[in-house]
């Protein structure tokens, strides 16, 4: 297992996350795709941390997890309010603002 | 492995502004319980907090000071920006008092969120570590997602919050991947060490570093709304409550630009050969798309959103300049921009009334005859945004263009001047509507002393900085 292995795996997960975000129309699934992207970053950071023998990467990964949790809380609250007013969750139909 | 944090580098005085403002933000949240129906008291407590923060920015002498293992910096740039943030947040709170009353936004946490957001901006502007930059960006963003959607029963506000949240989180992914690659290439997250490493040995041609830098460019591009990552800006600016829009257009954008400056101009100047071309392209596209987009708008908030996109195009030139001249012009531009934007939004809020915000430009027809003073103020702000002398907008643009010229960006400056001329078209359109068209509707202004005070302050700032820019300019240049 070398640097390349970690890099390739994390890049693959990151691309899956990006593709999921761009293709799916449900905000919940889009949020999960973003989480996938963040997890690929965590994987990369922890991998490099063990190769480079510095702890910065692992600290960074812990902070990312914490912040991601906070972000998800706010995101779910926003999605919930949208669902309450509209009773559906397709991002293609949420288009009052345009021009 | 060495210890992560040396005890002697924990210097609480250096983070005094962050601590003071955090205490006030939490205090406001608690006070909300006892404040009753009217939240005006909270607004004034918040403003006192911002004032104290501005004072505590001078707690450290003998700048620059590095603390927390060089991850937090107190230098001239960060002190100046702390002052800009506190000014812009205070103005945002002042214009929101009347607006929140009128639009029935009864949430006391509004003010608390503005303060927390300002804490994030201070962290962002003072950080010299990738982890700290990430933390700062997230503190700012999470507060803004909530603020954009603070009108829970309002369809547009909800939509703005959702769009902002999804795209913001997506952008964070790119930003983080870029940071992780940079860490992988250099073995550290500290910007100062990264800069030293690039200077001293061969990581210059490391492909991971370059890919990381490009991903960071994308991430920051989203946060400052530069083309092609500007798509969220018009929708979010239109849907968010007006004071929040004004707040978003100045403070958080300025904070992201400082971090942009720190990463690219201060840390990666040695490998500028590859990001410079990219950034020049982004800057040119941002100006053109921002200005051309604004021409077609009929809603004043959308127009200002596109105009703010184009202003980011000009400001990115300051990052390209890469030296103290660049940072000084960045500081001066953001000060003048804060005055202009808060002036315009204070007037926009005045022109609306409960349930009818009057945001179409057509609705401004005939304002010049009915309310000449307000129309005159609006004219001054519009001309200043367009960059006409002798107003502040002109000096700010002149200064930034001059800095870019000295670094040899001749073509870029020519294009920027051309764009400045294009932008006059839509700023003048508003003035034409106010003075040369018959009124299409009744004006029912909601004028309050506080909003008037903000307009007066903004007018004084815009004219003062246009005619006598020297005090602020010399302060920025120090």
């Amino acid at each position: 297992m070398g640097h390349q292995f970690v890099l390739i795996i994390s890049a693959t997960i990151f691309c899956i996350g990006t593709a999921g975000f761009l293709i799916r129309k449900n905000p919940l699934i889009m949020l999960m795709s973003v989480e996938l992207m963040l997890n690929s970053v965590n994987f990369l950071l922890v991998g490099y941390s063990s190769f480079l023998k510095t702890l910065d990467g692992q600290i960074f990964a812990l902070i990312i997890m914490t912040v991601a949790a906070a972000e998800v809380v706010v995101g779910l609250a926003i999605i919930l309010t949208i669902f309450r007013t509209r009773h559906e969750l397709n991002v293609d139909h949420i288009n009052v603002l345009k021009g | 492995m060495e210890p992560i944090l040396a005890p002697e580098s924990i210097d609480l005085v250096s983070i005094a502004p962050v601590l003071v403002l955090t205490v006030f933000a939490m205090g406001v949240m608690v006070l909300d319980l006892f404040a009753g129906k009217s939240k005006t008291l909270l607004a004034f407590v918040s403003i006192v907090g911002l004032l104290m923060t501005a004072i505590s920015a001078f707690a450290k002498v003998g700048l620059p000071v590095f603390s927390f293992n060089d991850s937090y910096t107190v230098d001239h740039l960060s002190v100046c920006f702390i002052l800009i943030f506190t000014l812009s947040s205070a103005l945002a709170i002042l214009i929101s008092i009347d607006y929140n009353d009128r639009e029935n936004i009864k949430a006391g946490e509004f003010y608390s969120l503005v303060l927390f957001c300002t804490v994030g901006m201070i962290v962002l502007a003072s950080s010299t570590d990738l982890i700290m930059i990430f933390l700062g960006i997230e503190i700012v963003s999470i507060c803004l997602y909530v603020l954009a959607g603070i009108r829970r029963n309002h369809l547009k506000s909800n939509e703005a919050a959702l769009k902002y949240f999804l795209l913001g989180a997506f952008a964070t992914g790119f930003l983080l991947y870029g940071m992780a690659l940079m860490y992988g290439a250099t073995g550290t997250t500290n910007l100062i060490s990264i800069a030293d490493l690039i200077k001293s040995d061969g990581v210059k041609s490391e492909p991971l570093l370059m890919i990381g830098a490009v991903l960071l460019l994308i991430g920051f591009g989203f946060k400052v709304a530069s083309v092609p990552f500007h798509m969220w800006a018009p929708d979010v600016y239109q849907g968010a409550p007006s004071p929040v829009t004004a707040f978003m257009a100045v403070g958080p954008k300025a904070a992201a630009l400082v971090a942009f400056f720190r990463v690219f101009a201060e840390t990666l100047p040695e490998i500028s050969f590859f990001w410079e071309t990219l950034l020049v392209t982004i800057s040119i596209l941002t100006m053109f798309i921002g200005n051309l987009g604004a021409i077609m708008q009929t809603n004043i908030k959308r127009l200002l959103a596109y105009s703010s996109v184009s202003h980011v195009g000009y400001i990115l030139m300051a990052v390209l300049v890469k030296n103290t001249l660049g940072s000084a012009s960045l500081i001066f531009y953001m000060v003048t921009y804060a005055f202009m934007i808060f002036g315009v939004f204070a007037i926009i809020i005045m022109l609306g009334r409960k349930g009818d915000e009057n945001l179409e430009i057509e609705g401004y027809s005939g304002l010049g005859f009915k309310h000449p003073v307000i129309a005159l103020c609006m004219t001054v702000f519009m001309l200043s945004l367009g960059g006409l002398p002798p107003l502040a907008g002109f000096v700010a643009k002149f200064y930034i263009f001059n800095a870019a010229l000295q670094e040899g960006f001749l073509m870029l400056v020519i294009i920027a001047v051309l764009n400045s001329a294009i932008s006059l078209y839509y700023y003048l359109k508003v003035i034409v509507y106010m003075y040369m068209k018959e009124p299409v509707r009744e004006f029912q202004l909601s004028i309050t002393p506080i909003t008037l005070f903000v307009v007066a302050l903004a007018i004084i700032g815009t004219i003062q900085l246009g005619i006598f820019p020297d005090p602020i300019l010399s302060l920025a240049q120090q």
Side-chain angles (χ1 to χ4, degrees), chain B residues 17 52-61 63 74 79-80 82-83 475:
Chain B
M52 305 275 275
T53 312
I55 294 167
S56 66
F58 298 102
K60 264 298 187 203
V61 284
L63 307 178
V74 186
V79 171
C80 282
I82 289 173
L83 298 182
L475 195 76

Side-chain angles (χ1 to χ4, degrees), chain A residues 49 53-60, chain B residues 1-2 4 183:
Chain A
S49 177
K53 299 277 182 281
T54 56
L55 279 180
D56 303 23
Q58 294 182 37
I59 303 276
F60 203 165
Chain B
M1 291 190 191
E2 54 191 75
I4 291 293
Y183 168 67

Side-chain angles (χ1 to χ4, degrees), chain A residues 10 48 54 57 71 96-97 99, chain B residues 138 158-159 177 183 208 302:
Chain A
S10 82
Y48 271 127
T54 56
E71 204 171 42
V96 185
L97 300 166
Chain B
E138 282 304 298
N158 283 345
E159 184 176 328
Y177 206 83
Y183 168 67
L208 283 186
R302 281 189 91 84

Side-chain angles (χ1 to χ4, degrees), chain A residues 7 10-11 14 18 21-22 27 30-31 34 37-38 40-41 44-45 48-49 52-57 59-60 63-64 67 70-71 74-75 78-79 81-82 85-86 91 94-99, chain B residues 1 4 130-131 134-135 138 142 145-146 152-153 155-156 158-163 165-170 172-174 176-177 179-181 183-184 187-189 208 235-236 238-239 297 302 306:
Chain A
L7 201 57
S10 82
F14 188 80
T18 313
F21 183 87
L22 295 173
M30 290 164 85
L31 190 57
V34 169
M37 290 164 75
L38 296 187
S40 79
V41 175
L44 190 61
L45 281 171
Y48 271 127
S49 177
L52 297 164
K53 299 277 182 281
T54 56
L55 279 180
D56 303 23
I59 303 276
F60 203 165
I63 290 177
I64 291 174
V67 171
E71 204 171 42
V74 170
I78 291 170
I79 293 172
T81 38
I82 290 247
T85 43
R86 305 187 63 107
V91 282
I94 302 176
N95 55 3
V96 185
L97 300 166
K98 58 187 166 197
Chain B
M1 291 190 191
I4 291 293
L130 293 175
I131 301 180
F134 164 68
L135 266 182
E138 282 304 298
I142 291 176
Y145 302 148
V146 182
R152 268 182 314 190
N153 306 321
L155 214 55
K156 285 184 179 169
N158 283 345
E159 184 176 328
L162 182 71
K163 282 181 173 166
F165 168 72
L166 284 177
L167 288 174
F170 188 54
T172 304
F174 283 96
L176 279 176
Y177 206 83
M179 286 178 176
L181 287 179
Y183 168 67
T188 169
T189 55
L208 283 186
D235 288 352
V236 174
Q238 188 191 350
Q297 299 307 321
R302 281 189 91 84
Y306 275 106

Side-chain angles (χ1 to χ4, degrees), chain B residues 131 186 222:
Chain B
I131 301 180
T186 57
F222 262 108

